[in-house]
Structures are given as structure tokens and as C-alpha cells.
Amino acid sequence: MRKDVRILLVGEPKVGKTSLIMSLVSEEFPTVVPYRAEEITIPADVTPERVPTHIVDYSEAEQTDEQLFQEISKANVICIVYSVNNKTSIEKVTSHWLPLINDNTDKDSRVPLILVGNKSDLVEHSSMETILPIMNRHSEIETCVECSAKNLKNISELFYYAQKAVLHPTGPLYCPEKKNMKLLCIKALTRIFKVSDLDNDGILNDNELNFFQRTSFNIPLESQALEDVKNVVRKNLNEGVRDNGLTLKGFLFLHTLFIQRGRHETTWTVLRRFGYDDDLELNQDYLFPPLKLPPDCTTELNHNAYLFLQSVFDKHDKDRDCALSPEEMKDLFDVFPYMPWGPDVHNTVCTNDQGWITYQGYLSQWTLTTYLDVQRCLEYMGYLGYSIVAEQESQAAGVTVTRDKKIDLQKKQTQRSVFRCNVFGDVGSGKSGFLQAFLGRNLMRQNIINAEQRSYYAISTTYVYGQEKYLLLHEVFPDFDYLSDDDLACDIVCLVYDASNPYSFEYCAKVFKQYFMDSKIPCMMIATKSDLPEIKQIYGCTPLDFCRKHKMPPPQSFTCNTAAVPSKDIYTKLTTMAMYPHARLRCMCTCNRCTFCLCQNFLNSELLQTVRAKLYAVVLRRHVSKADLKSSTFWLRTSVGATVFAVLGFAMYRVLLKQR
């Protein structure tokens, strides 16, 4: 909505333009009328629409044509004043003023016009018979008001209608010649209907109508009022009501009726509540609410946002197969001005055997969008009506900005749910296969992927110590000399080489030495194509020796050439290392699954080392007084502590012995 309204009064001399303005301000007819009134500003708290209003007078005697043209270009609404007892002034409306205004305004955004018949106190008849044909020929004319500056008749109404013509214009909504709503208005109201149709059954039941009413006007509808609304629609439109609910046709009919009866402010209130501007486009402030994102922080969806997205999925998954068919996907994104997800999305997230995006894949794609481009995510959620349905101030309420990663490292814990793994490797090393295997696709399924729909991202969930986390894999283009900051910014680095290619490991070694050897980002070597015979790598040392030298876990064997779904163990390990980069877990036998490896990882973890150091400090450095030595409580605590450590140590020994 506009922040202010500028009203310009034009017309022939002596028709009473200045008298109208002075009568409005002083609430009495002026005895002395100047040639031209100075510009007047009416404060917002005085006007019915709570918007500051500027009223500008025009005088042919005091102003030039150039000044008139400037005022016309600045005006939001123009009142053409004529005298009801002067036929010449009425004729001038069509012969002079309408052509003059049209010639000096943009054809694509016509200024609304109001015809004002002044001096109605001097005649007993109305001029409407003469004016109505003029209004029918010129769609830019909003209305006609007959008034009297002398008797103060309809003075306030005149300026109210002028305000209304600017704040609630008819032009964008309705075509008087065709007597129906314009396409942009129908499109906007259709989206509003779909957002309000919470169960996606094609009708607005009583609960949904009350939700719509409360959302738009902040007051619910009484039961009788609901029935009255539906009865009006039933009476005029056969397909307007179905199963005691309002259909889309009935919804559009109601708004057409509002506009035809001069209540277009009702339709405008609805449109603006759902984010539309005066041009019936979604407002940029609505689509892109402010969200502060400090450096080294990431963005994730919070619990409320996931609940909303789950409800959107559920209401469009009509066959309840936990996947979105192409028709269901099209229906879901029908409230968007364009299709937001391209064909590559099917190779970015999990799909079923038919290639349809599953429930998990759907949430993963939203998580990916939020992480990589939060502004795009805010826009998408705006189209779906998140702030309205979830009753939040804006889409930004559904996004969590994580704390700085440096703080996570200092505190040795993180509350993040999404971790990024950048995958490096030479051409043909198996990076794409590694990404697709994460989505549950073996080599056979990967071979049927269209090369044009290839994705450089893959995202899905893993479980770390019972917690569900998202792992985002990003395949980095193998151009060693041109790695961007985005290529280097991640939570863990995955260096992939082909175990059957003797020259493949060298690229990984160079990338590690050049970019990650001195960084705090954990790294892991992956030896792909382990189903093929392993060939010695032509490098200064073996991959295993390289990893030992740089205190990395030993290379992990991997293959996607399996009959079943590829194992996810390696991805769980990557997520664990990303969550706990300070722990530096090292697998002793490279499986990292057996009890022996788990125990060794636990014993070598920094957490246990820290606890052990603190216990030594307490035991060795604590000053023990003679009173403590004589106290039975002191010796009791010492005995209990020693017993607990002995039991734990014996249990650990038995477990390790049994595993060996």
C-alpha cells in the first residue's frame, strides 16, 4: 500500500475547485476565495485509510501549462471538477481535460480519475444522465460524485473516494467493458484459494473459510454469516458450492461481486494480506524478508518450517505413496510463477524406483536450498504462504542461522544438522558414482542417468549416535589451479582416487598439500572401484603411508558396483568426522565397525584424554591434609572410585580379548 496519497484538482475556472478544498479544511464555506489554494497535507490519523493525503489545487490564472503537466505527472489521483449548472464545463471534461491528462500520463499505468460535479445546491436535477455515458467510454474514471462546497454536501466523501481510488483501485482488478475480473487478479486470487485450501480437496470448508477470514481481516465469521455467504453463491452460481464448501469458482464469484458493488477494498485487503502489491505482483518485502547472515555461519530450516513443509507434502501426496508423481509435483508448485526445481533434482535427492522424489528427498531438497541459497528458500516459502499458514511474521522465522564454526571448534560441540562435504578427485576417479551411491543407486542405476541432468550435489540423511543429520556432498570440478572459496569452504574434505588407476592418487595428494594440509578441516581418502584389482599408485609413497604421515584415517575402500544398494557406512563416518573434527578418530583395522575399532577410537579420543588429564590433576595435585587421611569419608570415596575404575577396566579388557 502507498505511504501517502497526492490528489490534484483540475477543471475550468470558476467551477469551485478552491472552494471545495477550503470547505473541507475549515468545514465552512469561505467568504473570500483566492485564485488558488496552497498545497494542503492532511495527517494520517485524520483520514479514514490512515494514510497522509496531499491535496493540490490548480489555477489557470496563476500556473503555466508546464506546471500543470508536472502536477499531473506527480498526482496519484486527479479530480476533474465541473459545475452541474454549466454545460460548457461538462463538455470540457471530454473535449479538453481527459485528452490532456491521457497525453501526459503513462499509458501502462493510468492515473485514476474522479469526476466531481460541484454546485449541486444551485440545481434541482442531477447531471448523472450526462456523465454516465462518459464514464462508460473511459475506464480510467473510477466514479462520479456530486457535491456542494457551499452546503458542505459530500465534501468528505469526495476526498474519501479519491483516497480509495489510489489505495484500492479498480483498474488492476476489473474490466468494466467485459464486466469480469482481469487475468492477473484471477491468478492472484487462485493462489490465495490454494494456500487457504489446507487439505487440497478443491473446496474451502467452514474451518478453512474461518482460517481465511481470520487471516485476512483478523476476525472469524459466525456460523450464520458463513451460511449466508454460501447461499449468495448458490443462488447465483451452480458450481459455486460443493459438499457444503466454497469452490474456486465460487470464491472468484464472491470477489467479482465485491468489486461490482464498489467494495473493492475487501478484495484489496485480501490481496495485500497475502503479499501482493498494487500491480498484483508479490511484494519483494514479502518474498525476501530481512535475514542477517554473519560470516562462517550457515542456514538451516527449523522444526516449525519442517512441519509446514511436511504438511505441504502430505496435502499433495494424494495416493499416499510417500512420493510425488509428476502430476502431484506440478500441483504442489502451481502457486509458483515458475517451476523452481529442474530435472537435475532427481539426481540430487533420493527417489523411488519410478524416479519420483520421495518424502525424504523432498525434505532434503529444501534443506539443500536453505543451505546454499537462503534467499531463494525464503522466496519459495513465500509462494507457499509459510508466514500465513504457520502464522509467523515472515519466512525468516522458519530459518535458523547457526553459530560461527570457530565457536563450535572451541566448544568441541555443534548444534548444526547439515554438514557439507566437498569431494575432490581427478577425472574418472569415481566422484559422481560416490555421490549417486549416497542416494542408494548402484552402478547399474547410475548408468541410465541422463548426462544432461547430471547434478554436482547429493544430499540425504545419516544417523550419528542416534541423531539424524544431513550430509551434503558437493563434487568439485577437478581444476587444480582455480579452486574458489566456495570449493574450499566445507566441514569435511573427501579425497577420491581410483584404486585401479596408478596415476589417480597423485591429484588427491597435491590438493591436500596445497589447500588442506595446514587447515583444521578433517580429510578422508576414499579408494573407489575396490571391486577391480588394486594397482600400485605411482607416487612417492603409498596412500596408506601418506595418510599415516599426515595423521589422517587410512584410505577407505569403496565401490558402487554392487547388486544391492551401496553401503552407507562410509557416509556415516564422514558425517561423524564433520560433527567432531576435534576428535580425530582413527580406525585401526580400517573397518571402523568392529568392537575393537570402536573401543580404540574411544580410548584415543580427545574427550577421554581430557577427562584422564583432569583426573590426574585432581589426584596428584590435590593437597591432602592429615584430617582427610584420618577421615573415614575420604577413604570410603577413594575405595569406591578405585572399585569403579577396576570394574570398567576389567570389562574393557574382556571385550578386547574376546574380539581378538
Side-chain angles (χ1 to χ4, degrees):
M1 186 181 288
R2 291 184 180 275
K3 295 182 179 180
D4 60 358
V5 174
R6 190 175 182 84
I7 304 172
L8 173 64
L9 274 68
V10 299
E12 294 300 298
K14 306 295 183 180
V15 293
K17 301 184 296 296
T18 307
S19 298
L20 286 171
I21 297 173
M22 297 184 71
S23 294
L24 173 72
V25 175
S26 62
E27 297 185 350
E28 61 180 5
F29 185 69
T31 54
V32 179
V33 181
Y35 283 109
R36 176 176 173 267
E38 296 295 326
E39 180 178 325
I40 293 171
T41 299
I42 302 176
D45 55 354
V46 178
T47 62
E49 296 293 338
R50 302 291 176 182
V51 175
T53 303
H54 311 280
I55 302 175
V56 181
D57 191 11
Y58 165 70
S59 172
E60 186 178 337
E62 292 192 355
Q63 291 175 286
T64 63
D65 289 345
E66 185 62 33
Q67 290 175 315
L68 172 61
F69 300 154
Q70 289 178 1
E71 289 296 346
I72 289 174
S73 64
K74 292 190 292 184
N76 302 130
V77 58
I78 299 175
C79 297
I80 304 177
V81 184
Y82 64 90
S83 177
V84 295
N85 65 342
N86 187 334
K87 291 185 178 180
T88 304
S89 67
I90 298 175
E91 292 171 357
K92 284 281 189 173
V93 170
T94 53
S95 64
H96 176 68
W97 290 108
L98 286 174
L100 176 71
I101 293 170
N102 289 333
D103 290 344
N104 288 277
T105 54
D106 188 2
K107 294 181 180 179
D108 296 329
S109 56
R110 292 289 191 188
V111 177
L113 305 177
I114 293 180
L115 300 184
V116 181
N118 193 23
K119 303 185 181 181
S120 62
D121 59 295
L122 299 180
V123 295
E124 295 181 357
H125 63 275
S126 172
S127 62
M128 295 305 293
E129 291 185 3
T130 308
I131 296 300
L132 281 175
I134 299 175
M135 292 178 64
N136 292 333
R137 290 196 302 270
H138 298 273
S139 59
E140 64 269 28
I141 299 176
E142 290 282 328
T143 187
C144 176
V145 181
E146 289 191 345
C147 58
S148 169
K150 186 174 183 180
N151 294 343
L152 306 182
K153 178 185 175 183
N154 289 341
I155 301 297
S156 298
E157 288 78 0
L158 158 64
F159 292 100
Y160 168 72
Y161 284 125
Q163 260 195 345
K164 185 177 175 181
V166 177
L167 302 177
H168 311 298
T170 308
L173 307 180
Y174 189 75
C175 180
E177 293 84 1
K178 297 180 180 179
K179 295 184 178 179
N180 55 22
M181 282 194 295
K182 292 186 175 180
L183 289 176
L184 274 179
C185 183
I186 293 173
K187 183 179 178 182
L189 290 173
T190 300
R191 171 184 167 268
I192 292 171
F193 178 90
K194 287 180 176 292
V195 169
S196 303
D197 185 11
L198 302 178
D199 55 8
N200 197 35
D201 62 351
I203 62 172
L204 297 183
N205 57 37
D206 287 358
N207 289 333
E208 291 165 342
L209 280 170
N210 252 320
F211 163 76
F212 167 78
Q213 174 75 13
R214 193 172 60 253
T215 299
S216 302
F217 306 103
N218 295 321
I219 51 171
L221 275 176
E222 298 293 335
S223 299
Q224 187 57 47
L226 276 173
E227 288 303 316
D228 292 342
V229 168
K230 287 185 278 190
N231 287 334
V232 169
V233 177
R234 282 193 192 100
K235 185 178 178 180
N236 293 275
L237 193 66
N238 292 331
E239 300 176 351
V241 178
R242 188 180 78 242
D243 298 331
N244 202 35
L246 197 64
T247 65
L248 175 59
K249 289 184 178 180
F251 185 76
L252 295 176
F253 167 78
L254 270 181
H255 284 280
T256 304
L257 200 62
F258 290 146
I259 297 167
Q260 289 175 342
R261 293 182 177 180
R263 291 176 54 193
H264 22 306
E265 66 272 14
T266 302
T267 301
W268 274 114
T269 301
V270 172
L271 289 166
R272 286 177 176 135
R273 177 64 186 90
F274 280 78
Y276 289 92
D277 60 17
D278 292 344
D279 298 320
L280 295 185
E281 298 288 343
L282 283 171
N283 199 308
Q284 294 297 297
D285 293 336
Y286 168 79
L287 290 177
F288 304 102
L291 181 70
K292 187 177 180 181
L293 183 60
D296 293 326
C297 297
T298 59
T299 46
E300 301 175 2
L301 294 171
N302 60 28
H303 180 65
N304 290 332
Y306 277 120
L307 287 179
F308 169 75
L309 294 172
Q310 289 169 11
S311 69
V312 172
F313 182 93
D314 290 340
K315 85 175 192 177
H316 289 93
D317 182 22
K318 295 182 179 179
D319 53 9
R320 297 293 181 264
D321 62 347
C322 290
L324 293 175
S325 67
E327 293 76 17
E328 291 169 343
M329 183 83 76
K330 182 180 178 183
D331 186 38
L332 191 153
F333 291 123
D334 194 41
V335 294
F336 284 59
Y338 56 88
M339 184 64 181
W341 294 353
D344 61 326
V345 70
H346 296 88
N347 299 318
T348 305
V349 298
C350 295
T351 58
N352 62 11
D353 293 337
Q354 296 170 286
W356 300 351
I357 295 177
T358 62
Y359 171 73
Q360 184 59 58
Y362 164 83
L363 293 181
S364 297
Q365 179 62 24
W366 279 103
T367 304
L368 175 69
T369 306
T370 308
Y371 188 94
L372 295 180
D373 190 350
V374 68
Q375 291 298 318
R376 184 69 58 88
C377 176
L378 294 174
E379 178 189 0
Y380 290 172
M381 291 177 69
Y383 292 136
L384 291 174
Y386 171 76
S387 61
I388 296 161
V389 177
E391 298 181 0
Q392 299 289 337
E393 185 177 349
S394 71
Q395 297 87 269
V399 175
T400 297
V401 178
T402 64
R403 68 186 181 188
D404 195 322
K405 293 180 183 179
K406 297 185 184 70
I407 299 176
D408 284 350
L409 288 171
Q410 290 172 2
K411 294 183 176 291
K412 297 185 178 181
Q413 61 179 358
T414 182
Q415 297 176 339
R416 290 187 294 143
S417 298
V418 186
F419 298 92
R420 176 167 178 163
C421 173
N422 283 357
V423 182
F424 294 84
D426 205 357
V427 177
S429 60
K431 299 186 300 297
S432 299
F434 185 72
L435 266 66
Q436 291 303 310
F438 184 39
L439 305 178
R441 298 174 185 138
N442 57 20
L443 188 60
M444 185 180 297
R445 287 188 63 185
Q446 293 178 27
N447 288 334
I448 62 175
I449 294 176
N450 189 340
E452 296 179 355
Q453 298 176 1
R454 179 183 175 185
S455 175
Y456 292 94
Y457 290 94
I459 183 170
S460 188
T461 55
T462 60
Y463 285 87
V464 178
Y465 303 130
Q467 301 179 51
E468 185 183 54
K469 302 294 181 183
Y470 282 93
L471 179 63
L472 165 60
L473 301 179
H474 171 46
E475 179 183 343
V476 179
F477 190 78
D479 191 345
F480 180 80
D481 297 324
Y482 297 98
L483 293 180
S484 65
D485 292 338
D486 188 57
D487 294 332
L488 302 176
C490 58
D491 300 299
I492 184 169
V493 173
C494 186
L495 300 165
V496 176
Y497 70 94
D498 181 359
S500 64
N501 182 349
Y503 302 99
S504 184
F505 177 75
E506 183 180 6
Y507 176 86
C508 295
K510 286 183 177 179
V511 169
F512 177 81
K513 287 185 174 181
Q514 178 72 24
Y515 297 104
F516 301 107
M517 188 167 67
D518 297 325
S519 75
K520 294 183 179 180
I521 301 175
C523 301
M524 179 181 284
M525 288 283 182
I526 307 291
T528 61
K529 306 181 185 180
S530 61
D531 56 303
L532 300 176
E534 184 176 359
I535 298 178
K536 182 181 179 181
Q537 297 294 316
I538 300 177
Y539 190 69
C541 60
T542 66
L544 180 59
D545 292 337
F546 183 89
C547 291
R548 286 175 177 170
K549 179 181 178 182
H550 296 285
K551 299 180 180 180
M552 295 167 57
Q556 307 294 301
S557 298
F558 177 82
T559 180
C560 57
N561 190 12
T562 57
V565 174
S567 173
K568 272 196 170 186
D569 290 345
I570 187 67
Y571 305 105
T572 302
K573 187 180 297 185
L574 286 169
T575 312
T576 306
M577 292 178 65
M579 284 182 65
Y580 305 106
H582 55 278
R584 296 188 179 277
L585 303 179
R586 300 187 186 94
C587 180
M588 304 302 293
C589 68
T590 74
C591 76
N592 207 28
R593 294 193 303 274
C594 64
T595 308
F596 181 79
C597 289
L598 293 175
C599 291
Q600 286 293 337
N601 283 336
F602 176 73
L603 291 172
N604 293 330
S605 66
E606 289 189 8
L607 175 63
L608 193 62
Q609 299 295 334
T610 304
V611 171
R612 188 168 60 183
K614 288 185 177 180
L615 285 173
Y616 277 133
V618 170
V619 173
L620 297 178
R621 297 178 186 176
R622 184 175 179 225
H623 176 70
V624 182
S625 65
K626 292 183 179 180
D628 288 335
L629 292 173
K630 294 179 180 180
S631 170
S632 60
T633 306
F634 170 79
W635 289 110
L636 178 62
R637 285 185 295 177
T638 305
S639 301
V640 171
T643 304
V644 170
F645 273 101
V647 171
L648 288 176
F650 181 75
M652 187 70 70
Y653 170 79
R654 290 292 299 272
V655 169
L656 295 176
L657 188 63
K658 185 179 179 180
Q659 182 66 34
R660 286 188 174 182

